Every structure is written in C-alpha cells, then in structure tokens.
Amino acid sequence: LNLTGSNVGMTNMNAIRWIFFDIGSTLVDEEEAYNHRIRDMIQGTSITFEQFSEKRIQFAKEGYNGDQKAIEYFGLNKTPWHSEDEVPFDDCEKTLRTLCDRGYQLGIIANQKPGAKERLDAWGIGRYFSMIASSAELGVSKPDKEIFLQAFSTVKETEFWA
C-alpha cells in the first residue's frame, strides 16, 4: 500500500502475488442450479417460481440470506443442489490463464459442497489454482474468518493482497 504522493491508497501491483476467487457466481454461473433447486422445492405446491424468486430477492435486499428466508417464509424444505447445472462463465478460462501467465498464484476460498477440486478439474480450470480452501473440506464457512486464516496459512505467505 502506497501511503505517499499522488497514489495514496493505490497498491503496488508487483507486490500482489496471490489472487483468491470464490467459485459460485464468480467463476461459475449458478443461475440454472438455483432455478433447478427452486423448481424442486416448489414442486407440488401452489407457490409459483416468480413468487419464490420475488420473496428471495426481497429478503436479500433486506440483508438476509434470501434463499434461506424465502424457504422459511414459504415453509419449504431445502432440496439438494444440482452441481451438474453449473457452468463456467464464458471468459473464465481465458481470464485465469492470463493471470497465471502474468505470474500470479491463484487460490479458491469458497463455501462449497465436497468435491470442489474435482468440479474445477471437470470444467477444465482446476489446473490454474495452487490452493483450494473449500468449506466442506475445512469444516468452516464464510464469512467466518477462520476459513480465510486457514487458506492464508496454507499458502505460507507473510505478505499478500487478496
């Protein structure tokens, strides 16, 4: 962090060695997986997809976990997540390759069900990540700072920018 001169608050890009990513809605488009789960939850009820989605968005805007609050509001049971519906965003692989080519180490810190590494490999992007901190494997989820501390200790860096 440069605290002098006209670049106050700007980082020295050469000092950045690691870039950490989330997976869902960052590298991977989860929209169809969300939609699939909603369709499964409301199946056999009088709740429409639009009603559930509107309530989910309303709760999220109020600062809640929109999905969980909507599930509770409608008295539904959370159904399994459909990872098979997740797809990497179109520019994901190109972006990761460019960052690696420029010398950055890439990592993952994500709330994921077991098998995050295998899914990243199946999508053809696992090779870009030097470390993966997944909540399922670590037993701790974001926003708990412990997941970040475990990830950062894994890379054995004393200085990095994330």
Side-chain angles (χ1 to χ4, degrees), residues 149-161:
L149 295 174
Q150 286 187 38
F152 299 154
S153 70
T154 299
V155 299
K156 295 183 173 73
E157 294 284 337
T158 57
E159 286 187 56
F160 57 87
W161 303 93

Side-chain angles (χ1 to χ4, degrees), residues 109 111 133 138-153 160:
I109 301 174
N111 291 342
L138 295 178
V140 62
S141 300
K142 295 184 300 180
D144 188 324
K145 71 178 179 178
E146 186 58 32
I147 193 170
F148 299 98
L149 295 174
Q150 286 187 38
F152 299 154
S153 70
F160 57 87

Side-chain angles (χ1 to χ4, degrees), residues 16 34 61 82:
I16 298 173
Y34 273 111
K61 286 180 179 178
H82 293 275

Side-chain angles (χ1 to χ4, degrees), residues 51-69:
Q51 288 171 320
F52 184 90
S53 293
E54 287 172 13
K55 194 54 78 172
R56 177 174 69 128
I57 291 167
Q58 174 193 333
F59 285 130
K61 286 180 179 178
E62 294 172 2
Y64 297 106
N65 175 326
D67 294 335
Q68 188 58 43
K69 280 295 223 186

